[in-house]
Amino acid sequence: LRLVESGGDLVQLGGSLTLSCGTSGVAAKHYPLKNYAVGWFRQAPGKGREEVGCIFGSHDVMTYANSVEGRFAISRNKAKNTVLLHMSDLKPEDTAVYTCAVDITTIYGACPGNFGTWGQGTQVTVSA
């Protein structure tokens, strides 16, 4: 199972962007993302990794970091087997590599999860 992020881009201050997290690999069909906790993380240059949000549970419960609460939203596209990170009112401090991760140890799971499968990340750059 592999995770693949897409959607990163250069965007202006105050702009919006949606990132997508999908699966690939032979095992992907056995682990539909709708059944597992998925987290979105980011890491800016010279800084540690920060969890920006997570989605879990059979009824899709979402949690968010204080730094993005009210500006970011996570959703599932179950038909496309993806988890989306909708970002709005972007700020220069949101500039980072954004990575998704999935916890496949528990059906529906919880957040924070036991994230053992990670994507490679996608770059988001916000210009002032």
Side-chain angles (χ1 to χ4, degrees), residues 13-30:
L13 175 68
S16 300
L17 203 60
T18 295
L19 306 182
S20 178
C21 173
T23 59
S24 68
V26 176
K29 63 182 178 179
H30 300 296

Side-chain angles (χ1 to χ4, degrees), residues 1-3 100-104 114-119:
L1 174 68
R2 292 189 297 274
L3 297 183
C100 62
V102 63
D103 174 3
I104 61 172
N114 181 17
F115 297 115
T117 301
W118 295 76

Side-chain angles (χ1 to χ4, degrees), residues 37-123:
V38 176
W40 277 99
F41 298 79
R42 67 184 180 186
Q43 187 163 17
K47 295 187 177 182
R49 186 170 62 201
E50 174 190 24
E51 180 175 323
V52 297
C54 185
I55 186 168
F56 69 98
S58 60
H59 297 292
D60 287 347
V61 177
M62 286 75 77
T63 63
Y64 300 99
N66 289 339
S67 58
V68 305
E69 182 79 54
R71 299 188 299 121
F72 289 15
I74 296 176
S75 66
R76 299 189 195 267
N77 184 325
K78 296 179 181 180
K80 293 186 177 181
N81 191 31
T82 57
V83 174
L84 306 177
L85 178 65
H86 309 276
M87 305 184 293
S88 62
D89 190 22
L90 284 162
K91 306 173 182 180
E93 51 264 42
D94 295 318
T95 295
V97 174
Y98 285 72
T99 306
C100 62
V102 63
D103 174 3
I104 61 172
T105 64
T106 307
I107 293 291
Y108 300 129
C111 293
N114 181 17
F115 297 115
T117 301
W118 295 76
Q120 292 298 309
T122 186
Q123 177 70 47

